[in-house]
Amino acid sequence: MAGSLSKEYRQAGVGFGKNPVWRIALPSHLGVSRAVTGASRTSEERSSPRSVRSRGRWALLAVWGPGLVVMLADTDAGSLITAAQSGAQWGYRMVLPQLILMPILYVVQEMTVRLGIVTGRGHGALIRERFGRGWAWLSAFTLFASAIGALLTEFVGVAGVGELFGVSRWVSIPIATTMLLALALTGSYRRVERIGLAIGAAELAFLVAMVMARPQFDALLAGLSSMPLGNSSYLLLVAANVGAVIMPWMIFYQQGAVVDKHLSVATIRQARYDTATGAVLTQLIMIAVVLTVAATIGTHQEAAPLQTVGQIAGALTPYLGKLGGTVLFGLGMLGAALVAAIVASLAGAWGLSEVFGWQHTLNQRPTRATAKFYTTYALAHLVGAALVLGSVDLVNLAVDVEVMNALLLPIVLGLLLVLEARALPEQWRMSGVRKYTTRALCLVVIAFGLYMVPQALGWT
């Protein structure tokens, strides 16, 4: 019977022992039983190849999580505001760029999956081992700046959602900070991941809002056939969307997550599926926001200012009502901001710990050995919260964060590509067309990110 198993499942460690006992070679902390007896199943069910494959598939699904979480975090508060502005100004013509970004997002994050699983090292640790302390410290600086910047953006989003319902930022931000600090103390990466997924699932509210907005199918088809890249205003918004699709902290997070989850090379295919599904989901959410705004504000009030959560919700409410414009939009924005805050802060804590050689894992509650890791995680939140509470101009603060991320992208993506080419065994490296296509896509992301810097700073 074992001969009927596919090569993939034999490599993954799925097989038979005595008296139909399933043995699934996945780490016990994933919550997947190593031995699941088939005693309660009929002999026909136990001998069915379909049953074998089905149980193997469900077991391998336990490796899912890092890709979905990091992709839901990618659709953060800043990205959603950019999507709303895109829909208002250019309507359905901003849908095609979102579709094109799906493969770009996947190929970049897939490299972190292979690097983390094959080497068993986080991103910062690999940089230190391969290029020395100088490059490691540079990567630590870029990561810390990016993570703090992300937390600023997310706390701005949290403050905006709170103000939609009459809650002062002096109340909403301390509550959010306390919850995020408590989350890391659960003593389990898997538990943090599940909570992150549950919070990020609130972003599905944007899909409901899109249905309520009733986008015009004919206009959508027409928009998919038009990309006026010759228009500087359109090109700037495309650049803003491209620049927001890859954040430096995303790279550190996903590589650190697959390491903390102890995934083996046998699970790489499922980890890729996890990443691909997340890339599609996050861009569908962005498309939902574009379509919602295009069908409402973009059709009737395209000149409306949409720089804050309150302005967007206020402009949507006349068309979608209180439920769609305020409740659903606020719920989706809050979920996006919180899951991004989780990912960015963990990425920062993991990355700095790797660079400086500190012990770091979510699978162990704070001890003397992990004190520096947890202190870094806590300080990131406290600094981010303090800066937002002390800032008067939250709009310009968010713009400054976007510019900073764009300037950091060449360093982060450059190091990622070099690590992929040098740190992995030859059989796990990209080659041929795939290698050159991935490098070209990374250069496109860098170019678009840098293109938006002068405009964002008002230099042109």
Side-chain angles (χ1 to χ4, degrees), residues 385-458:
L387 288 174
V388 172
L389 288 173
S391 175
V392 176
D393 192 347
L394 298 184
V395 173
N396 282 334
L397 184 64
V399 171
D400 291 340
V401 170
E402 288 184 13
V403 171
M404 180 187 65
N405 275 329
L407 293 174
L408 295 177
L409 270 178
I411 299 173
V412 174
L413 288 180
L415 286 172
L416 176 64
L417 288 170
V418 174
L419 282 176
E420 195 279 338
R422 296 185 182 180
L424 289 172
E426 187 172 353
Q427 66 267 32
W428 290 107
R429 298 174 190 168
M430 296 182 296
S431 60
V433 174
R434 179 187 176 193
K435 177 175 70 174
Y436 294 110
T437 300
T438 298
R439 291 178 178 178
L441 291 175
C442 288
L443 288 175
V444 168
V445 172
I446 292 171
F448 271 110
L450 294 178
Y451 173 80
M452 63 165 283
V453 171
Q455 286 85 351
L457 293 176

Coordinates of all heavy atoms in Angstrom, one line a residue, residues 385-458:
A385 N 3.9 54.1 19.5 CA 2.7 54.7 20.1 C 3.0 56.1 20.6 O 2.2 57.0 20.4 CB 2.2 53.8 21.3
A386 N 4.1 56.3 21.2 CA 4.5 57.6 21.7 C 4.6 58.7 20.6 O 4.2 59.8 20.7 CB 5.8 57.5 22.5
L387 N 5.2 58.3 19.5 CA 5.4 59.2 18.4 C 4.1 59.6 17.8 O 3.9 60.8 17.4 CB 6.3 58.6 17.3 CG 7.8 58.4 17.7 CD1 8.6 57.7 16.6 CD2 8.4 59.8 17.9
V388 N 3.2 58.6 17.7 CA 1.9 59.0 17.1 C 1.1 59.9 18.1 O 0.4 60.8 17.6 CB 1.1 57.7 16.8 CG1 -0.4 58.0 16.3 CG2 1.8 56.9 15.6
L389 N 1.1 59.5 19.3 CA 0.4 60.4 20.3 C 0.9 61.8 20.4 O 0.2 62.7 20.6 CB 0.4 59.7 21.7 CG -0.4 58.4 21.9 CD1 -0.1 57.8 23.2 CD2 -1.9 58.7 21.7
G390 N 2.2 61.9 20.1 CA 2.9 63.2 20.2 C 2.8 64.0 18.9 O 3.3 65.2 18.9
S391 N 2.4 63.4 17.8 CA 2.4 64.0 16.5 C 1.0 64.7 16.3 O 0.0 64.2 16.5 CB 2.6 63.0 15.4 OG 2.5 63.6 14.1
V392 N 1.1 65.9 15.7 CA -0.1 66.7 15.4 C -0.5 66.4 14.0 O -1.7 66.2 13.7 CB 0.1 68.2 15.5 CG1 -1.1 69.0 15.1 CG2 0.5 68.5 17.0
D393 N 0.5 66.3 13.1 CA 0.2 66.1 11.6 C 0.4 64.6 11.3 O 1.5 64.2 10.9 CB 1.1 67.0 10.8 CG 0.7 67.0 9.3 OD1 -0.2 66.2 8.9 OD2 1.2 67.9 8.6
L394 N -0.7 63.8 11.4 CA -0.5 62.4 11.2 C -0.5 62.1 9.7 O 0.1 61.1 9.3 CB -1.7 61.6 11.8 CG -1.9 61.7 13.3 CD1 -3.1 60.9 13.8 CD2 -0.6 61.3 14.0
V395 N -1.0 62.9 8.8 CA -1.0 62.7 7.4 C 0.5 62.8 6.9 O 0.9 61.9 6.2 CB -1.9 63.7 6.7 CG1 -1.7 63.6 5.1 CG2 -3.3 63.5 7.0
N396 N 1.2 63.8 7.2 CA 2.6 64.0 6.8 C 3.4 62.9 7.4 O 4.4 62.5 6.8 CB 3.1 65.4 7.1 CG 2.6 66.4 6.2 OD1 2.3 66.1 5.0 ND2 2.5 67.7 6.6
L397 N 3.1 62.5 8.6 CA 3.8 61.4 9.2 C 3.8 60.1 8.4 O 4.8 59.4 8.2 CB 3.3 61.1 10.6 CG 4.0 60.1 11.5 CD1 5.4 60.5 11.8 CD2 3.3 59.8 12.8
A398 N 2.6 59.8 7.9 CA 2.4 58.6 7.1 C 3.1 58.7 5.8 O 3.7 57.8 5.3 CB 0.9 58.4 6.8
V399 N 3.1 59.9 5.2 CA 3.9 60.2 3.9 C 5.4 59.9 4.1 O 6.1 59.3 3.3 CB 3.6 61.6 3.4 CG1 4.5 61.9 2.2 CG2 2.1 61.7 3.0
D400 N 5.9 60.5 5.2 CA 7.3 60.3 5.5 C 7.7 58.8 5.6 O 8.8 58.4 5.2 CB 7.7 61.0 6.8 CG 7.6 62.5 6.7 OD1 7.6 63.0 5.5 OD2 7.5 63.2 7.7
V401 N 6.8 58.0 6.2 CA 7.0 56.6 6.3 C 7.1 55.9 5.0 O 8.0 55.1 4.7 CB 5.9 55.9 7.2 CG1 6.1 54.4 7.1 CG2 6.1 56.4 8.6
E402 N 6.2 56.3 4.0 CA 6.2 55.8 2.7 C 7.5 56.1 2.0 O 8.1 55.2 1.3 CB 5.0 56.3 1.9 CG 3.7 55.8 2.3 CD 2.6 56.3 1.4 OE1 2.9 56.9 0.3 OE2 1.4 56.1 1.7
V403 N 8.0 57.3 2.1 CA 9.2 57.7 1.5 C 10.4 56.9 2.1 O 11.3 56.4 1.3 CB 9.5 59.2 1.7 CG1 10.9 59.6 1.3 CG2 8.4 60.0 1.0
M404 N 10.4 56.7 3.4 CA 11.5 56.0 4.0 C 11.5 54.5 3.5 O 12.6 54.0 3.2 CB 11.3 56.0 5.5 CG 12.4 55.2 6.3 SD 12.0 55.1 8.0 CE 10.5 54.1 8.0
N405 N 10.4 53.9 3.4 CA 10.3 52.5 2.9 C 10.9 52.4 1.5 O 11.6 51.5 1.1 CB 8.9 52.0 2.9 CG 8.6 51.4 4.3 OD1 9.4 50.9 5.0 ND2 7.3 51.5 4.7
A406 N 10.5 53.4 0.6 CA 11.0 53.4 -0.8 C 12.5 53.5 -0.8 O 13.2 52.9 -1.6 CB 10.3 54.6 -1.5
L407 N 13.1 54.3 0.1 CA 14.5 54.5 0.1 C 15.3 53.3 0.6 O 16.4 53.0 0.2 CB 14.9 55.7 0.9 CG 14.5 57.1 0.4 CD1 14.7 58.2 1.4 CD2 15.1 57.4 -1.0
L408 N 14.6 52.5 1.4 CA 15.2 51.3 2.0 C 15.1 50.1 1.1 O 15.9 49.1 1.2 CB 14.6 51.0 3.4 CG 14.8 52.0 4.5 CD1 14.0 51.5 5.7 CD2 16.2 52.2 4.8
L409 N 14.2 50.1 0.1 CA 14.0 48.9 -0.7 C 15.2 48.5 -1.5 O 15.4 47.3 -1.6 CB 12.8 49.2 -1.7 CG 11.4 48.9 -1.2 CD1 10.4 49.2 -2.3 CD2 11.3 47.4 -0.9
P410 N 16.0 49.4 -2.1 CA 17.2 48.9 -2.8 C 18.1 48.0 -1.9 O 18.7 47.0 -2.3 CB 17.9 50.1 -3.3 CG 16.8 51.1 -3.3 CD 15.9 50.8 -2.2
I411 N 18.3 48.4 -0.7 CA 19.2 47.7 0.3 C 18.6 46.3 0.6 O 19.2 45.3 0.5 CB 19.4 48.5 1.6 CG1 20.1 49.8 1.2 CG2 20.2 47.7 2.6 CD1 20.2 50.8 2.4
V412 N 17.3 46.3 0.9 CA 16.6 45.1 1.4 C 16.5 44.1 0.3 O 16.9 42.9 0.4 CB 15.3 45.4 2.0 CG1 14.5 44.2 2.3 CG2 15.4 46.3 3.2
L413 N 16.0 44.5 -0.9 CA 15.9 43.6 -2.0 C 17.2 43.1 -2.6 O 17.4 42.0 -3.0 CB 15.0 44.2 -3.1 CG 13.5 44.4 -2.8 CD1 12.8 45.0 -4.0 CD2 12.9 43.0 -2.4
G414 N 18.2 44.0 -2.5 CA 19.5 43.7 -3.0 C 20.1 42.6 -2.2 O 20.7 41.6 -2.7
L415 N 20.0 42.7 -0.8 CA 20.6 41.7 0.1 C 19.8 40.4 -0.1 O 20.4 39.3 0.0 CB 20.5 42.2 1.5 CG 21.5 43.2 1.9 CD1 21.2 43.8 3.3 CD2 23.0 42.7 1.8
L416 N 18.5 40.5 -0.3 CA 17.7 39.3 -0.5 C 18.1 38.5 -1.7 O 18.3 37.2 -1.7 CB 16.2 39.6 -0.6 CG 15.2 38.5 -0.8 CD1 15.2 37.5 0.3 CD2 13.8 39.0 -1.1
L417 N 18.3 39.2 -2.8 CA 18.7 38.5 -4.0 C 20.1 37.9 -3.9 O 20.4 36.8 -4.4 CB 18.7 39.5 -5.2 CG 17.3 39.9 -5.7 CD1 17.4 41.1 -6.7 CD2 16.6 38.8 -6.3
V418 N 21.0 38.6 -3.3 CA 22.4 38.0 -3.1 C 22.4 36.8 -2.2 O 23.0 35.8 -2.4 CB 23.3 39.1 -2.5 CG1 24.7 38.5 -2.2 CG2 23.5 40.3 -3.5
L419 N 21.6 36.9 -1.1 CA 21.5 35.7 -0.2 C 20.9 34.5 -1.0 O 21.4 33.4 -0.8 CB 20.6 36.0 1.0 CG 21.2 36.9 2.1 CD1 20.2 37.2 3.2 CD2 22.4 36.1 2.7
E420 N 19.9 34.7 -1.8 CA 19.3 33.6 -2.5 C 20.3 33.0 -3.4 O 20.3 31.8 -3.6 CB 18.1 34.2 -3.3 CG 17.1 33.1 -3.9 CD 17.6 32.4 -5.1 OE1 18.5 33.1 -5.8 OE2 17.2 31.3 -5.4
A421 N 21.2 33.8 -4.0 CA 22.2 33.2 -4.9 C 23.4 32.6 -4.2 O 24.1 31.8 -4.8 CB 22.7 34.4 -5.8
R422 N 23.6 33.0 -3.0 CA 24.9 32.5 -2.3 C 24.6 31.6 -1.1 O 25.4 30.7 -0.8 CB 25.7 33.7 -1.9 CG 26.2 34.5 -3.0 CD 27.2 35.6 -2.5 NE 27.7 36.5 -3.6 CZ 28.5 37.5 -3.4 NH1 29.0 37.7 -2.1 NH2 28.9 38.2 -4.4
A423 N 23.6 31.8 -0.3 CA 23.4 31.1 0.9 C 22.7 29.8 0.7 O 22.8 28.9 1.6 CB 22.5 32.0 1.9
L424 N 22.0 29.6 -0.4 CA 21.3 28.3 -0.6 C 22.2 27.3 -1.3 O 23.0 27.7 -2.2 CB 20.0 28.6 -1.4 CG 18.9 29.3 -0.7 CD1 17.8 29.7 -1.7 CD2 18.3 28.5 0.4
P425 N 22.0 26.0 -1.1 CA 22.6 25.0 -1.9 C 22.1 25.1 -3.3 O 21.1 25.7 -3.6 CB 22.1 23.7 -1.3 CG 21.7 24.0 0.1 CD 21.2 25.4 0.0
E426 N 23.0 24.7 -4.3 CA 22.7 24.9 -5.7 C 21.3 24.4 -6.1 O 20.6 25.1 -6.9 CB 23.8 24.3 -6.5 CG 23.7 24.6 -8.0 CD 24.8 24.1 -8.8 OE1 25.8 23.6 -8.2 OE2 24.8 24.2 -10.0
Q427 N 20.9 23.3 -5.6 CA 19.6 22.7 -6.0 C 18.4 23.6 -5.6 O 17.3 23.4 -6.1 CB 19.4 21.3 -5.5 CG 19.3 21.1 -4.0 CD 20.6 20.9 -3.4 OE1 21.7 21.4 -3.8 NE2 20.6 20.1 -2.3
W428 N 18.6 24.5 -4.6 CA 17.5 25.3 -4.1 C 17.6 26.7 -4.7 O 16.7 27.6 -4.3 CB 17.5 25.3 -2.6 CG 17.1 24.0 -2.0 CD1 17.9 23.1 -1.4 CD2 15.8 23.5 -2.0 NE1 17.2 22.0 -1.0 CE2 15.9 22.2 -1.3 CE3 14.5 23.9 -2.5 CZ2 14.8 21.4 -1.1 CZ3 13.5 23.0 -2.3 CH2 13.6 21.8 -1.6
R429 N 18.5 27.0 -5.5 CA 18.7 28.4 -6.1 C 17.8 28.5 -7.3 O 17.5 27.5 -8.0 CB 20.1 28.7 -6.4 CG 21.1 28.7 -5.2 CD 22.5 28.9 -5.7 NE 23.5 28.7 -4.6 CZ 24.8 28.5 -4.8 NH1 25.3 28.6 -6.1 NH2 25.6 28.3 -3.8
M430 N 17.5 29.7 -7.6 CA 16.8 30.0 -8.9 C 17.8 29.9 -10.0 O 19.0 30.1 -9.8 CB 16.2 31.4 -8.9 CG 15.1 31.7 -7.9 SD 14.4 33.3 -8.1 CE 15.9 34.3 -7.6
S431 N 17.3 29.6 -11.2 CA 18.2 29.5 -12.4 C 17.4 29.8 -13.6 O 16.2 29.9 -13.6 CB 18.8 28.1 -12.5 OG 17.7 27.1 -12.7
G432 N 18.2 30.1 -14.7 CA 17.6 30.4 -16.0 C 16.6 31.5 -16.0 O 16.8 32.6 -15.4
V433 N 15.5 31.4 -16.7 CA 14.5 32.4 -16.9 C 13.9 32.9 -15.6 O 13.7 34.1 -15.4 CB 13.4 31.9 -17.9 CG1 12.3 33.0 -18.0 CG2 13.9 31.6 -19.2
R434 N 13.7 32.0 -14.7 CA 13.1 32.3 -13.4 C 14.0 33.3 -12.7 O 13.5 34.3 -12.1 CB 12.9 31.1 -12.6 CG 12.3 31.3 -11.2 CD 12.2 30.1 -10.4 NE 11.8 30.3 -9.0 CZ 11.9 29.4 -8.1 NH1 12.4 28.3 -8.3 NH2 11.4 29.7 -6.9
K435 N 15.3 33.0 -12.7 CA 16.2 33.9 -11.9 C 16.2 35.3 -12.5 O 16.1 36.3 -11.8 CB 17.6 33.3 -12.0 CG 18.7 34.2 -11.3 CD 20.0 33.5 -11.3 CE 20.6 33.4 -12.7 NZ 22.0 32.9 -12.7
Y436 N 16.3 35.4 -13.8 CA 16.4 36.8 -14.4 C 15.0 37.5 -14.4 O 15.0 38.7 -14.2 CB 16.9 36.6 -15.9 CG 18.3 36.1 -15.9 CD1 18.6 34.9 -16.4 CD2 19.4 36.9 -15.5 CE1 19.9 34.4 -16.5 CE2 20.7 36.5 -15.5 CZ 20.9 35.2 -16.0 OH 22.2 34.8 -16.0
T437 N 14.0 36.7 -14.4 CA 12.6 37.4 -14.3 C 12.4 37.9 -12.9 O 12.0 39.1 -12.7 CB 11.5 36.4 -14.6 OG1 11.7 35.9 -15.9 CG2 10.1 37.0 -14.5
T438 N 12.8 37.2 -11.9 CA 12.7 37.6 -10.5 C 13.6 38.9 -10.3 O 13.1 39.8 -9.6 CB 13.1 36.5 -9.5 OG1 12.2 35.4 -9.7 CG2 13.1 37.0 -8.1
R439 N 14.8 38.9 -10.8 CA 15.6 40.0 -10.6 C 15.1 41.3 -11.3 O 15.1 42.4 -10.8 CB 17.0 39.7 -11.1 CG 17.8 38.7 -10.3 CD 19.1 38.4 -10.8 NE 19.9 37.4 -10.0 CZ 21.1 36.9 -10.2 NH1 21.7 37.3 -11.4 NH2 21.7 36.1 -9.4
A440 N 14.5 41.0 -12.5 CA 13.9 42.2 -13.2 C 12.7 42.7 -12.4 O 12.5 44.0 -12.4 CB 13.5 41.7 -14.6
L441 N 11.9 41.9 -11.9 CA 10.7 42.3 -11.1 C 11.2 43.1 -9.9 O 10.5 44.1 -9.5 CB 9.9 41.1 -10.7 CG 9.1 40.4 -11.8 CD1 8.4 39.2 -11.3 CD2 8.1 41.4 -12.5
C442 N 12.2 42.7 -9.2 CA 12.7 43.4 -8.1 C 13.2 44.8 -8.5 O 13.0 45.8 -7.7 CB 13.8 42.6 -7.4 SG 13.3 41.1 -6.5
L443 N 13.9 44.9 -9.6 CA 14.3 46.2 -10.1 C 13.2 47.1 -10.4 O 13.2 48.3 -10.2 CB 15.2 46.0 -11.3 CG 16.6 45.4 -11.1 CD1 17.3 45.1 -12.4 CD2 17.4 46.3 -10.2
V444 N 12.1 46.5 -10.9 CA 10.9 47.3 -11.2 C 10.3 47.9 -9.9 O 9.9 49.1 -9.8 CB 9.8 46.5 -11.9 CG1 8.5 47.2 -12.0 CG2 10.3 46.1 -13.4
V445 N 10.2 47.0 -8.9 CA 9.7 47.5 -7.6 C 10.6 48.6 -7.0 O 10.1 49.7 -6.6 CB 9.7 46.3 -6.6 CG1 9.3 46.8 -5.2 CG2 8.6 45.3 -7.0
I446 N 11.9 48.5 -7.1 CA 12.8 49.5 -6.6 C 12.7 50.8 -7.4 O 12.6 51.9 -6.8 CB 14.3 49.0 -6.7 CG1 14.5 47.8 -5.7 CG2 15.3 50.1 -6.5 CD1 15.9 47.2 -5.9
A447 N 12.6 50.7 -8.7 CA 12.4 51.9 -9.6 C 11.2 52.6 -9.3 O 11.2 53.9 -9.2 CB 12.5 51.4 -11.1
F448 N 10.1 51.9 -9.2 CA 8.8 52.6 -8.9 C 8.8 53.2 -7.5 O 8.3 54.3 -7.3 CB 7.6 51.6 -9.0 CG 7.0 51.5 -10.4 CD1 7.2 50.4 -11.2 CD2 6.3 52.6 -10.9 CE1 6.7 50.3 -12.4 CE2 5.7 52.5 -12.2 CZ 5.9 51.4 -12.9
G449 N 9.4 52.5 -6.6 CA 9.5 53.1 -5.2 C 10.3 54.4 -5.2 O 9.9 55.3 -4.5
L450 N 11.4 54.4 -5.9 CA 12.2 55.6 -5.9 C 11.6 56.7 -6.7 O 11.8 57.9 -6.4 CB 13.6 55.3 -6.5 CG 14.5 54.3 -5.6 CD1 15.8 54.1 -6.3 CD2 14.7 54.9 -4.2
Y451 N 10.8 56.3 -7.7 CA 10.1 57.3 -8.6 C 9.2 58.2 -7.8 O 9.0 59.4 -8.0 CB 9.4 56.6 -9.7 CG 8.5 57.5 -10.5 CD1 9.1 58.3 -11.5 CD2 7.1 57.7 -10.3 CE1 8.3 59.2 -12.3 CE2 6.3 58.5 -11.0 CZ 6.9 59.3 -12.0 OH 6.1 60.1 -12.8
M452 N 8.5 57.6 -6.7 CA 7.5 58.4 -6.0 C 8.1 59.3 -4.9 O 7.5 60.1 -4.4 CB 6.6 57.4 -5.3 CG 7.2 56.5 -4.3 SD 6.0 55.7 -3.2 CE 5.6 57.0 -2.1
V453 N 9.4 59.1 -4.6 CA 10.0 59.9 -3.5 C 10.0 61.4 -3.8 O 9.5 62.1 -2.9 CB 11.5 59.4 -3.3 CG1 12.2 60.3 -2.3 CG2 11.5 58.0 -2.7
P454 N 10.5 61.9 -4.9 CA 10.4 63.3 -5.2 C 9.0 63.9 -5.1 O 8.8 65.0 -4.5 CB 11.1 63.5 -6.6 CG 11.9 62.3 -6.8 CD 11.1 61.2 -6.1
Q455 N 8.1 63.2 -5.7 CA 6.7 63.7 -5.7 C 6.1 63.7 -4.2 O 5.4 64.7 -3.8 CB 5.8 62.8 -6.6 CG 6.0 63.1 -8.1 CD 7.2 62.2 -8.6 OE1 7.9 61.6 -7.8 NE2 7.3 62.2 -9.9
A456 N 6.4 62.7 -3.5 CA 5.9 62.6 -2.1 C 6.5 63.7 -1.2 O 5.8 64.2 -0.3 CB 6.2 61.2 -1.5
L457 N 7.7 64.1 -1.5 CA 8.4 65.1 -0.7 C 8.1 66.5 -1.3 O 8.5 67.5 -0.7 CB 9.9 64.9 -0.7 CG 10.4 63.7 0.0 CD1 11.9 63.5 -0.1 CD2 10.0 63.7 1.5
G458 N 7.4 66.6 -2.4 CA 7.0 67.9 -3.0 C 8.1 68.6 -3.7 O 8.1 69.8 -3.9

